[in-house]
Amino acid sequence: MILVGLTGGIGAGKSTVSAMLAERGAVIVDADQIARDLQRPGSPVVDAMADRFGADIVNEDGSLDRAAVAAIVFSDDVALNDLNGIVHPAMQDEIQRQIDAHRGTGRVVVLDFPLLAENPRRGLQATIVVDIPVETAVERLVEQRGMDEADARNRINSQISREERLATATHVVDNGADLDSLAARVDELWNELLMLDASDPPA
Ligand code: ATP
């Protein structure tokens, strides 16, 4: 397998690039999707959270009341630490399970991790950063996601800077232009990824 990471700031185009890589044959390990799946009604993670924080954090339909959890951990570092102690190991186990399923296959496995630059991961053969200017991100978040402009700027400002993220890249995907230009860059990137060593990274 060829194991690579994919990241970018909010609204940079990670999901769009992921989908394009999947079309070309990549396996995507999607951290946001895994986090959502782990919080499904009846999952062991939700049960463990209810044991720690009380049944009030679970809605009547069994889904997690994220606002209730956020309210508890917001001002309580011990609670936040406990929450991380429940969620992180479950996330890591599921990520590892999905990676291991492709050992020995020669497939390109892409870890789509929004916070990869903040939490670097060892063993990656490449780190792909999807990059756009801050003003383009604001524009897309407002126009295509209906986000409030101030909210978009706050979220961008709460992440690490564009420069710090770019410093972690082995491959940069400039997504400042149209989708056709992006697809052309992804074709080029795909060929670059296929040239990497396909012997499995250590477990
Ligand atoms: P998030 O950080 O919220 O998960 P993301 O990095 O996954 O976002 P996308 O959802 O892929 O970003 O892209 C953000 C928005 O911009 C989407 O509505 C997407 O369709 C649009 N978009 C992505 N690339 C382009 C482009 N080159 N031109 C125009 N719109 C684009």
Side-chain angles (χ1 to χ4, degrees):
M1 118 178 85
I2 294 168
L3 184 64
V4 305
L6 171 71
T7 195
I10 177 169
K14 294 175 294 296
S15 307
T16 309
V17 170
S18 256
M20 287 180 176
L21 288 170
E23 278 169 20
R24 287 155 181 79
V27 173
I28 309 298
V29 177
D30 180 336
D32 283 348
Q33 184 62 48
I34 292 173
R36 280 193 294 272
D37 288 348
L38 288 175
Q39 293 173 16
R40 285 219 171 117
S43 79
V45 166
V46 173
D47 287 349
M49 287 166 75
D51 282 347
R52 167 62 179 83
F53 301 115
D56 286 352
I57 59 143
V58 181
N59 294 313
E60 272 181 22
D61 64 359
S63 63
L64 190 69
D65 183 344
R66 288 165 190 252
V69 179
I72 293 169
V73 301
F74 179 66
S75 57
D76 182 342
D77 286 347
V78 176
L80 179 60
N81 205 34
D82 289 349
L83 175 66
N84 287 335
I86 295 169
V87 176
H88 282 180
M91 281 284 299
Q92 291 310 318
D93 285 355
E94 178 56 19
I95 288 165
Q96 201 58 52
R97 193 192 66 75
Q98 293 192 14
I99 293 171
D100 288 344
H102 301 283
R103 282 188 178 277
T105 63
R107 300 285 302 269
V108 176
V109 177
V110 177
L111 307 184
D112 178 348
F113 287 6
L115 298 179
L116 183 63
E118 289 85 343
N119 304 297
R121 190 182 170 96
R122 270 177 291 168
L124 298 179
Q125 285 157 279
T127 296
I128 304 158
V129 171
V130 185
D131 179 56
I132 55 174
V134 169
E135 289 311 311
T136 310
V138 172
E139 222 169 82
R140 287 186 189 157
L141 290 169
V142 169
E143 282 173 14
Q144 307 205 23
R145 294 266 183 82
M147 210 181 266
D148 175 66
E149 182 179 334
D151 188 25
R153 286 189 192 281
N154 277 338
R155 285 177 193 234
I156 292 168
N157 289 336
S158 72
Q159 297 190 315
I160 65 166
S161 71
R162 184 182 177 194
E163 291 70 26
E164 285 172 292
R165 191 179 295 102
L166 278 172
T168 69
T170 57
H171 297 68
V172 177
V173 173
D174 175 350
N175 187 23
D178 60 14
L179 288 169
D180 286 343
S181 315
L182 180 65
R185 172 66 186 118
V186 172
D187 276 332
E188 204 175 78
L189 171 70
W190 181 243
N191 288 327
E192 290 163 5
L193 297 181
L194 291 177
M195 287 193 294
L196 295 171
D197 177 7
S199 55
D200 290 342

PDB file of all heavy atoms in Angstrom, residues 35 62 120 127:
ATOM      1  N   ALA A  35     -15.521   9.805  12.860  1.00  0.00           N
ATOM      2  CA  ALA A  35     -15.988  10.449  14.098  1.00  0.00           C
ATOM      3  C   ALA A  35     -17.520  10.416  14.158  1.00  0.00           C
ATOM      4  O   ALA A  35     -18.102  10.120  15.209  1.00  0.00           O
ATOM      5  CB  ALA A  35     -15.478  11.890  14.165  1.00  0.00           C
ATOM      6  N   GLY A  62     -31.494   8.318  20.936  1.00  0.00           N
ATOM      7  CA  GLY A  62     -30.224   7.607  21.125  1.00  0.00           C
ATOM      8  C   GLY A  62     -29.029   8.340  20.545  1.00  0.00           C
ATOM      9  O   GLY A  62     -27.885   7.940  20.755  1.00  0.00           O
ATOM     10  N   PRO A 120       0.582  15.729  13.446  1.00  0.00           N
ATOM     11  CA  PRO A 120       1.271  14.970  12.399  1.00  0.00           C
ATOM     12  C   PRO A 120       1.275  13.474  12.721  1.00  0.00           C
ATOM     13  O   PRO A 120       1.261  13.096  13.892  1.00  0.00           O
ATOM     14  CB  PRO A 120       2.688  15.530  12.429  1.00  0.00           C
ATOM     15  CG  PRO A 120       2.640  16.769  13.230  1.00  0.00           C
ATOM     16  CD  PRO A 120       1.470  16.669  14.145  1.00  0.00           C
ATOM     17  N   THR A 127       2.508  13.910   2.389  1.00  0.00           N
ATOM     18  CA  THR A 127       1.487  14.746   3.026  1.00  0.00           C
ATOM     19  C   THR A 127       1.019  15.759   1.979  1.00  0.00           C
ATOM     20  O   THR A 127       1.802  16.596   1.524  1.00  0.00           O
ATOM     21  CB  THR A 127       2.061  15.464   4.264  1.00  0.00           C
ATOM     22  OG1 THR A 127       2.419  14.478   5.238  1.00  0.00           O
ATOM     23  CG2 THR A 127       1.036  16.413   4.877  1.00  0.00           C
TER      24      THR A 127
END
